[in-house]
Amino acid sequence: HVVDVLRFNRVMNISERLPILAAHSFGGMVAMKTIQGNLDKFSAVALFCSVPPSGNGPMTKRFIDTRGWEVTWDITRGFVLKDAAQQPQLCKKFFFSEDMDDDKVLRYMQEHFRKDSNSFIDLQSVLRRLPVETSKMSDNGKTAAWAMESSKIAATASDKVLVFGAKNDFLVDDEGVVETARFLNVDDDEIVWLEGAHDVMLDVGWKENAERFLEKLQ
């Protein structure tokens, strides 16, 4: 995936202005690997509700402790058994707000999520390639060494990297969002919290979220 992103960027050969790399959910992990050593190839990087650098394992353990086995089972069957691409109510629970129109949920599920579910993520392979590498962490043990180096070039890392979380995210908890921000040397108070659920670009408040994004890019 990383090679694909970098190759696309190179083939497009955008010379007038460097592109903005925006990623959502599992795509955030790909983005974190992509910008490692390549941050200068993008004018900005935005991660929306990203799976944190440590992966979804630690989050799942937190869910068991704080939300019980039922929630964990829902997430397991939703993704592993692909029930979220077949059952509208589970799809809505995962990705959208309660007041999201049911017809829209059904349409998104049928037109997009079912197609997405045909692409299988090899989680074992992903885990072996997680952005976190203890030999390349800074002294605080939370920030990538390369992100610390990048921040010496820019005034702060948040000048180039934007981290967004959703206030009502069922899949990525607040701790996961904070972990991502700290890994990229973005201060906790620089995290942008958007209204709505996990799919911030499709949920009921998507226009307001898009405006917040554009505002932060200024």
Side-chain angles (χ1 to χ4, degrees), residues 1 25-27 29 51 53-57 60 75-76 78-81 119-131:
H1 297 305
S25 197
F26 267 105
M29 300 178 71
V51 173
S54 60
N56 58 353
T60 300
I75 294 174
T76 300
F79 289 108
V80 177
L81 303 181
S119 300
F120 177 72
I121 297 176
D122 186 344
L123 289 179
Q124 291 302 316
S125 177
V126 169
L127 289 173
R128 288 195 298 270
R129 294 168 172 80
L130 284 177

Side-chain angles (χ1 to χ4, degrees), residues 195-214:
E195 299 294 336
H198 186 69
D199 275 14
V200 292
M201 66 289 191
L202 298 174
D203 204 18
V204 287
W206 71 267
K207 287 184 179 180
E208 291 79 5
N209 292 337
E211 289 171 357
R212 290 288 305 280
F213 177 38
L214 292 175

Side-chain angles (χ1 to χ4, degrees), residues 73-96 105-106 108-110 112-117 170-171:
W73 168 241
D74 279 345
I75 294 174
T76 300
R77 69 187 181 90
F79 289 108
V80 177
L81 303 181
K82 302 183 179 181
D83 284 357
Q86 304 294 331
Q87 300 178 16
Q89 288 306 310
L90 189 60
C91 179
K92 185 174 185 177
K93 183 177 184 179
F94 278 12
F95 304 115
F96 301 108
V105 173
L106 181 62
Y108 285 136
M109 186 188 75
Q110 292 176 335
H112 303 294
F113 297 161
R114 284 182 182 173
K115 293 179 181 179
D116 289 344
S117 70
F170 184 82
L171 299 174

Side-chain angles (χ1 to χ4, degrees), residues 30-213:
V30 176
M32 282 185 269
K33 289 294 290 185
T34 300
I35 62 177
Q36 183 175 338
N38 297 293
L39 191 56
D40 60 336
K41 293 179 172 61
F42 303 95
S43 61
V45 179
L47 303 184
F48 296 86
C49 308
S50 175
V51 173
S54 60
N56 58 353
M59 278 199 304
T60 300
K61 292 178 181 177
R62 290 197 295 272
F63 290 159
I64 293 174
D65 293 339
T66 61
R67 295 156 69 179
W69 281 99
E70 183 178 352
V71 168
T72 307
W73 168 241
D74 279 345
I75 294 174
T76 300
R77 69 187 181 90
F79 289 108
V80 177
L81 303 181
K82 302 183 179 181
D83 284 357
Q86 304 294 331
Q87 300 178 16
Q89 288 306 310
L90 189 60
C91 179
K92 185 174 185 177
K93 183 177 184 179
F94 278 12
F95 304 115
F96 301 108
S97 300
E98 284 292 327
D99 52 347
M100 180 71 168
D101 183 79
D102 287 339
D103 290 336
K104 282 188 176 181
V105 173
L106 181 62
R107 178 164 61 87
Y108 285 136
M109 186 188 75
Q110 292 176 335
E111 295 180 3
H112 303 294
F113 297 161
R114 284 182 182 173
K115 293 179 181 179
D116 289 344
S117 70
N118 291 330
S119 300
F120 177 72
I121 297 176
D122 186 344
L123 289 179
Q124 291 302 316
S125 177
V126 169
L127 289 173
R128 288 195 298 270
R129 294 168 172 80
L130 284 177
V132 172
E133 298 178 62
T134 54
S135 61
K136 297 182 181 180
M137 297 296 282
S138 62
D139 292 340
N140 64 20
K142 297 178 180 179
T143 306
W146 59 264
M148 294 287 284
E149 290 297 320
S150 298
S151 68
K152 295 176 183 178
I153 301 173
T156 63
S158 56
D159 285 344
K160 200 157 190 174
V161 179
L162 300 169
V163 176
F164 295 84
K167 294 181 179 179
N168 297 302
D169 197 328
F170 184 82
L171 299 174
V172 178
D173 61 6
D174 292 359
E175 190 172 337
V177 176
V178 171
E179 179 192 331
T180 296
R182 292 178 179 175
F183 180 75
L184 296 171
N185 202 30
V186 175
D187 292 338
D188 293 4
D189 58 4
E190 291 291 334
I191 297 172
V192 182
W193 295 99
L194 301 174
E195 299 294 336
H198 186 69
D199 275 14
V200 292
M201 66 289 191
L202 298 174
D203 204 18
V204 287
W206 71 267
K207 287 184 179 180
E208 291 79 5
N209 292 337
E211 289 171 357
R212 290 288 305 280
F213 177 38

